[in-house]
Amino acid sequence: MINLLSDTVTKPTPGMLKAMWAAEVGDDVFREDPTVNALEAKSATLFGHEAALFCPSGTMANQIALKVHTRPLDEVICDETSHIYQYEVGGYAFHSGIGIQLLPGKNGVLEAHQVAAAIRPNQDWLPKSTLVVLENTCNKGGGSVYPLENIKAIRKVCLERGLALHMDGARIFNALAVSGDAPAVIGQELDSISVCLSKGLGAPVGSVLIGSQKFIAEARRVRKAMGGGMRQAGYLAAAGIYALDHHVVRLAEDHAHARMLASTLETLDYVSGIRPVQTNIVIFDLVDTVTPAQLLAYLEENGVKASAFGPKTIRFVTHLDVDRAMIETVMGVLGRFRVA
Ligand code: TLP
């Protein structure tokens, strides 16, 4: 099977397994795991922040950030396609007791004036706007990259109006591969960022939440309350360190593969539109006469797995376990599909 379901499906490479096997571990709840400590220090330094926290998932890292940055009855501002709204089970309300204000961005990317206009005036009967969350790359926006100017302008608004700025950087290294910016250049514009090691970077499990000492100290307490305090987690952190050292530069290959898929999709009469492809995500719509279920069943019969991303929409995600030959196979399979 050629699995284009998500970049979360990758299995550890032999080199990564070797690094995991060799990890020195301890009990991380007592902060005695040297490999977790090393991953946290490395991540914080990379993004120009003081501290970091290893979390079991991107969802938990984001939810901890929401909890630490807000109080009940506050409101978070984000794009309407955001993962924190669409795919985290409404956790912002459940864990943090906050509301959410959704803005219509362009492929998931917001402009500073939209954020400024969404900030609530200070009234007893209104929720308090205390946090903005940006997603980079934006998954449902088609893997779109936040231009640095937008981030800087939004940061300026946040500073002027007293809001915190968190980035869901699940795929931040895909974004940086395109923009060419150093991690610290984006890091310095943010109060916190969550970074997934288990997506494009190919680690089996884990995300890091990065911020100030004070923020991470509180985040550590919230992680424990959520049941995310892990013990000999160094085996997993070793995979994360290996991923940061070995799997960042190769992300450009995944992006090239996504463009190859898009170039085929553009020629197919059963495809009605494709989101602009900037990174490793390809989101496309089907014409009215074809359903995602029909195309997905055909793909599966021909050894290709993908998923529906809306009633007329399909998503392909390229990653470490899909090589160029596999992409060429998928292009051929797509070209042979006939509407029944
Ligand atoms: N995204 C998954 C699904 O939940 C949609 C995927 O297959 O893309 N932020 C972003 C932008 C994400 O895309 C995801 C996962 C997360 C956070 C959550 O990460 P995990 O799955 O580790 O909780």
Side-chain angles (χ1 to χ4, degrees), residues 34-294:
T35 312
V36 171
N37 293 342
L39 171 66
E40 291 177 345
K42 185 181 176 74
S43 312
T45 306
L46 253 180
F47 284 87
H49 276 268
E50 290 171 350
L53 185 71
F54 187 41
C55 297
S57 67
T59 300
M60 192 186 283
N62 282 336
Q63 291 300 319
I64 293 172
L66 295 182
K67 179 83 184 155
V68 177
H69 283 305
T70 65
R71 296 181 61 199
L73 307 182
D74 286 356
E75 188 173 73
V76 52
I77 295 170
C78 62
D79 179 78
E80 62 196 359
T81 62
S82 299
H83 196 276
I84 58 159
Y85 175 66
Q86 297 280 350
Y87 301 116
E88 296 185 11
V89 211
Y92 59 91
F94 182 71
H95 297 294
S96 301
I98 58 174
I100 196 157
Q101 194 179 160
L102 302 173
L103 301 179
K106 191 166 177 225
N107 296 319
V109 174
L110 298 175
E111 299 285 340
H113 67 85
Q114 292 178 284
V115 174
I119 298 171
R120 308 269 193 174
N122 195 0
Q123 299 283 10
D124 288 346
W125 50 90
L126 295 176
K128 204 183 256 180
S129 312
T130 48
L131 176 65
V132 175
V133 174
L134 310 179
E135 189 175 308
N136 194 16
T137 65
C138 179
N139 182 352
K140 218 172 162 56
S144 49
V145 177
Y146 248 96
L148 188 58
E149 312 86 78
N150 293 47
I151 300 171
K152 283 187 166 171
I154 291 170
R155 172 64 162 172
K156 191 162 173 278
V157 170
C158 288
L159 287 174
E160 282 165 5
R161 311 281 297 269
L163 280 77
L165 183 59
H166 171 72
M167 181 168 281
D168 176 349
R171 296 186 177 83
I172 188 65
F173 285 102
N174 296 85
L176 296 172
V178 173
S179 69
D181 295 319
V185 169
I186 285 202
Q188 73 185 8
E189 303 298 331
L190 307 167
D191 292 295
S192 58
I193 177 168
S194 56
V195 177
C196 283
L197 304 162
S198 63
K199 301 207 163 50
L201 297 188
V205 174
S207 287
V208 278
L209 178 61
I210 299 164
S212 67
Q213 288 282 9
K214 190 166 171 258
F215 172 82
I216 293 297
E218 197 49 33
R220 190 178 295 276
R221 286 177 58 75
V222 174
R223 184 187 66 175
K224 192 74 179 87
M226 288 180 175
M230 299 181 285
R231 303 293 177 172
Q232 286 72 41
Y235 292 116
L236 298 172
I241 292 172
Y242 184 91
L244 288 169
D245 288 341
H246 297 90
H247 292 165
V248 171
V249 174
R250 59 153 308 285
L251 289 171
E253 284 173 42
D254 298 342
H255 300 177
H257 291 160
R259 285 195 299 273
M260 286 168 72
L261 291 174
S263 71
T264 293
L265 291 168
E266 275 160 15
T267 67
L268 301 173
D269 55 9
Y270 62 85
V271 172
S272 66
I274 314 171
R275 295 300 136 78
V277 174
Q278 285 187 283
T279 56
N280 68 329
I281 295 179
V282 184
I283 296 181
F284 59 98
D285 295 320
L286 299 172
V287 294
D288 288 340
T289 45
V290 183
T291 65
Q294 283 172 316

